[in-house]
Amino acid sequence: MSSARDGFVEVGNYSSVGEAELARGQLAAAGISVRLDNAQTLGVLPMHSLALGGVAVVVPADAAARAREILGLGDSDEGTQEEQTEPGSAIALQGPDAWMRRAAVAAGFGSLLLPVVPTLYSLYLLARYGRGLMSARGRRHRTIAVVFNAIAVAIVTLVATTC
C-alpha cells in the first residue's frame, strides 16, 4: 500500500482487476499517471482479493483530488476513507453495498462448505453494515446473505440435534 511519503496516494480500491483497469483507463484518458498495486497477482489469483486488500489505484499526490473527481469519488481525505472501510479493505469508498456483497459471498461459502467461520463473518458484516443506506443491489445481497445464513444455522442445528 502506498503512502503520501513516496509521492503517490491511493484514490480507489477495487476487488477485481477489471474494475481497477476501468478506473485506470478513465484516469489515463484524462492525462493522469496511474499505477495499479496488486494487479498482476490478482490477475492470476483473483480468489485472493480479500486477503491482499484488492487492487489499489494509485496516482501522484498532486493529482489525487482531480482523480477522485474523475472517478466520481468526490473530495475525500484519508480520514474519510478510513471511516468508511476497515484498514486493508478491498472495498474502499464503496459503502454498504460492497459490504453486503461480501456478506452474501461469505454466507454462501458458509452454507456450502464450512458453516462456522464464513457464516460468523457474514453475520458480523450484516450486524455492522446491514442497516446503512444502500442501493437495490446492496439490499439484494443483504437478503441473499440472510437466507444463506439461515440455511447454515439450520444445518448446524440439525446436525447438533441428531448427534
Side-chain angles (χ1 to χ4, degrees):
M1 187 144 210
S2 56
S3 66
R5 281 181 274 146
D6 63 2
F8 290 85
V9 295
E10 182 179 313
V11 294
N13 197 311
Y14 300 90
S15 58
S16 75
V17 176
E19 291 173 315
E21 287 289 348
L22 289 172
R24 175 168 59 176
Q26 287 179 311
L27 297 174
I32 298 175
S33 174
V34 184
R35 180 178 83 210
L36 298 181
D37 289 349
N38 292 333
Q40 272 75 25
T41 304
L42 295 179
V44 177
L45 301 166
M47 70 289 280
H48 295 294
S49 180
L50 293 176
L52 294 176
V55 182
V57 177
V58 181
V59 301
D62 59 345
R66 184 167 168 241
R68 286 186 183 107
E69 183 179 321
I70 290 168
L71 294 176
L73 301 174
D75 292 328
S76 75
D77 57 3
E78 292 299 319
T80 306
Q81 184 175 354
E82 289 175 2
E83 289 171 10
Q84 291 179 343
T85 62
E86 294 178 346
S89 171
I91 311 178
L93 301 173
Q94 292 183 4
D97 287 351
W99 288 113
M100 290 304 100
R101 180 179 180 279
R102 242 188 210 188
V105 169
F109 281 121
S111 65
L112 299 175
L113 302 173
L114 294 170
V116 178
V117 175
T119 300
L120 291 175
Y121 178 64
S122 177
L123 290 170
Y124 163 75
L125 291 175
L126 286 169
R128 180 153 184 196
Y129 303 104
R131 297 188 189 277
L133 183 63
M134 63 187 80
S135 69
R137 176 180 242 170
R139 289 189 300 273
R140 185 175 68 236
H141 285 137
R142 180 180 58 198
T143 302
I144 290 169
V146 168
V147 168
F148 275 125
N149 283 327
I151 291 170
V153 169
I155 290 171
V156 169
T157 304
L158 182 64
V159 168
T161 57
T162 58
C163 290

